[in-house]
Amino acid sequence: MIYFSNPYHQYLAQSKDIKNAINSFLKRGSYILGEEVKNFENDFSKYCDSKYGIGVNSGTDAIFLALKAINIQYGDEVITTSHTAIATVSAIISSGATPVLVDINSHTLNMDYNKVNESITKKTKAILAVHMYGNPVEIDQISRIAKKNKILLIEDCAQATGALYKDKKVGSYGVMGCFSFYPTKNLGSLGDGGMIVTSNIKLANKIKRIRQYGWDDKRSIKYIGINSRLDEFHATVLKTKLKNLDKDNNLRNKIADFYSRNLDLNKFKIPVKNNYSKHVYHLYVIQTNNRNQILKSLFKKNIFAGVHYRKAVHQEKIYLSKCRVSKSGLKSTNEIVKKIISLPIYPQLKINDVKYICDVMNSIDF
Ligand SMILES: *Cc1c(COP(=O)(O)O)cnc(C)c1O
């Protein structure tokens, strides 16, 4: 079976280095917030063109803590999209704020920045912009809108670690960038993990406190906090894997280019990418009107494609009850959600397999 992602193969590709790193971790006997986390926070923030990194327990927590760091609370509004991982919206709701859902652009599948202005009210405190599938959102445009309205921009980079918008890494445009190290992500650990990057020292220090009960180094308390630490174990693994991330992202680009050149464009709409940003293809997502038939045909040929996601967030009733939908509605979101298929893509996927998938796809009759 060829799966749409394969973290085990990603582990195998670096198993020697990872095992060596884990062995030294075992010998050190330090488990929580030690040198490894500090070193990885430094490496990762530098990699992301940001000054500070704060390791946390997950991507969801990264977003939650970023919102708490700017004092988001009940009654506030945070603008985001409905075509995203449930986690994006879940974190906003946990912070107490009301997520305000704006439509996506049907080509980029990212936030339609033309729909942001109409959604801003006196209650709006932040825009949480998601870089879906590894494709950078139009962050310049969104940043301009945020500045003009004196609201803060936070980036959800969970699917886009290493992606570039113009000459800078995603996560460095907003006041904070939030990352996930869930095993299937472009930089994935052997378990859960996340990071917030920022170049604002006050925010960095505040997040460091609230990720651990509110404590500072001397255990004095100024804020209410939670427990959301990145483990030394995961920092060890991630520090090792970070060295290969650019190489891995380039391999993803090669696979994506092969798909884009070989899939029948009369049958499938392929992802867009522009020449001023670097897409990192967390997922390679095509659009079709014949999804069920295609998924079935692929499955018969041992290809397990995915759908990210089967439902937009607002299509989950209990989530919708905590959200506000933007005035002009979610037309593109509702259309796209029926059409998307994630084809297999991960750095270790062989081009021969990609060719096989293209052949199977092109030979499906509809
Ligand atoms: C994966 C993901 C998250 C959440 O990350 P976790 O580490 O699973 O909590 C948030 N936003 C997006 C867009 C994601 O893809």
Side-chain angles (χ1 to χ4, degrees):
M1 208 39 136
I2 306 172
Y3 294 95
F4 61 81
S5 79
N6 198 323
Y8 182 58
H9 279 197
Q10 285 193 255
Y11 158 70
L12 288 180
Q14 278 175 271
S15 65
K16 207 175 143 213
D17 290 346
I18 293 173
K19 279 180 187 162
N20 283 339
I22 292 175
N23 267 331
S24 5
F25 155 77
L26 291 171
K27 281 181 195 150
R28 272 193 303 276
S30 162
Y31 307 112
I32 298 284
L33 296 187
E35 285 304 307
E36 281 302 290
V37 170
K38 231 178 243 163
N39 289 337
F40 176 59
E41 285 173 341
N42 282 336
D43 290 0
F44 189 78
S45 56
K46 218 170 267 163
Y47 177 83
C48 291
D49 299 322
S50 297
K51 282 193 185 147
Y52 313 100
I54 306 96
V56 297
N57 209 262
S58 68
T60 311
D61 276 4
I63 299 168
F64 171 78
L65 289 167
L67 293 171
K68 280 302 171 193
I70 56 168
N71 301 319
I72 295 282
Q73 52 192 328
Y74 182 79
D76 295 338
E77 291 183 346
V78 176
I79 293 172
T80 192
T81 37
S82 184
H83 180 65
T84 181
I86 231 76
T88 310
V89 177
S90 159
I92 297 173
I93 296 170
S94 298
S95 78
T98 301
V100 177
L101 306 176
V102 305
D103 209 1
I104 52 169
N105 174 302
S106 61
H107 303 288
T108 63
L109 306 186
N110 274 323
M111 179 182 277
D112 182 347
Y113 58 84
N114 292 310
K115 305 283 170 61
V116 174
N117 260 321
E118 65 169 41
S119 304
I120 296 174
T121 69
K122 271 187 223 143
K123 296 177 181 170
T124 311
K125 290 284 155 59
I127 300 172
L128 179 57
V130 187
H131 303 286
M132 268 309 263
Y133 306 140
N135 188 25
V137 68
E138 291 297 343
I139 204 76
D140 266 0
Q141 305 277 0
I142 297 172
S143 185
R144 213 165 293 143
I145 297 167
K147 278 198 185 113
K148 213 172 112 199
N149 291 280
K150 296 195 170 64
I151 52 186
L152 294 169
L153 172 62
I154 299 172
E155 297 173 69
D156 180 345
C157 309
Q159 301 193 359
T161 309
L164 286 161
Y165 182 82
K166 296 188 176 162
D167 55 344
K168 274 195 338 173
K169 291 274 166 46
V170 300
S172 65
Y173 284 87
V175 63
M176 287 171 279
C178 305
F179 293 83
S180 165
F181 306 126
Y182 184 80
T184 61
K185 303 287 158 104
N186 290 46
L187 179 63
S189 193
L190 307 175
D192 274 314
M195 177 95 65
I196 298 147
V197 301
T198 180
S199 290
N200 180 312
I201 186 149
K202 277 191 186 151
L203 288 174
N205 286 336
K206 186 167 177 187
I207 297 165
K208 266 187 197 159
R209 287 175 158 227
I210 52 185
R211 80 167 161 193
Q212 181 167 237
Y213 324 127
W215 278 349
D216 70 0
D217 291 344
K218 298 189 178 74
R219 300 201 171 181
S220 93
I221 290 200
K222 206 152 75 176
Y223 314 104
I224 302 282
I226 60 171
N227 171 5
S228 183
R229 299 172 292 228
L230 180 67
D231 290 324
E232 285 283 289
F233 172 78
H234 292 297
T236 304
V237 173
L238 289 162
K239 193 172 156 239
T240 308
K241 289 187 83 180
L242 179 60
K243 293 180 191 136
N244 264 350
L245 180 59
D246 282 339
K247 213 167 78 194
D248 281 355
N249 281 340
N250 290 339
L251 288 169
R252 286 176 184 272
N253 265 277
K254 265 200 190 131
I255 293 165
D257 286 345
F258 192 94
Y259 274 130
S260 296
R261 274 186 280 112
N262 290 283
L263 286 173
D264 184 344
L265 302 186
N266 294 315
K267 287 181 159 175
F268 313 107
K269 184 173 170 175
I270 59 169
V272 298
K273 69 171 201 177
N274 54 45
N275 50 21
Y276 54 84
S277 56
K278 181 179 180 179
H279 195 323
V280 289
Y281 292 101
H282 169 59
L283 293 167
Y284 184 90
V285 176
I286 59 143
Q287 295 178 45
T288 167
N289 290 320
N290 302 75
R291 179 162 74 195
N292 282 342
Q293 191 194 345
I294 292 168
L295 289 176
K296 267 187 211 148
S297 306
L298 289 174
F299 194 77
K300 274 190 206 140
K301 303 281 187 181
N302 293 323
I303 301 158
F304 193 86
V307 176
H308 298 87
Y309 298 92
R310 287 218 176 244
K311 283 183 177 180
V313 178
H314 74 280
Q315 293 172 335
E316 299 286 357
K317 256 195 202 142
I318 195 147
Y319 274 91
L320 179 63
S321 74
K322 299 284 184 189
C323 295
R324 181 163 76 73
V325 172
S326 114
K327 256 187 258 146
S328 58
L330 300 169
K331 189 163 168 280
S332 297
T333 302
N334 286 326
E335 274 170 21
I336 255 56
V337 80
K338 294 182 270 186
K339 295 185 180 173
I340 44 178
I341 297 181
S342 313
L343 296 181
I345 192 163
Y346 50 91
Q348 291 72 34
L349 184 62
K350 299 275 186 300
I351 288 293
N352 261 344
D353 287 338
V354 184
K355 185 172 179 304
Y356 169 67
I357 297 164
C358 288
D359 291 344
V360 172
M361 292 281 290
N362 292 339
S363 68
I364 302 170
D365 266 331
F366 52 79

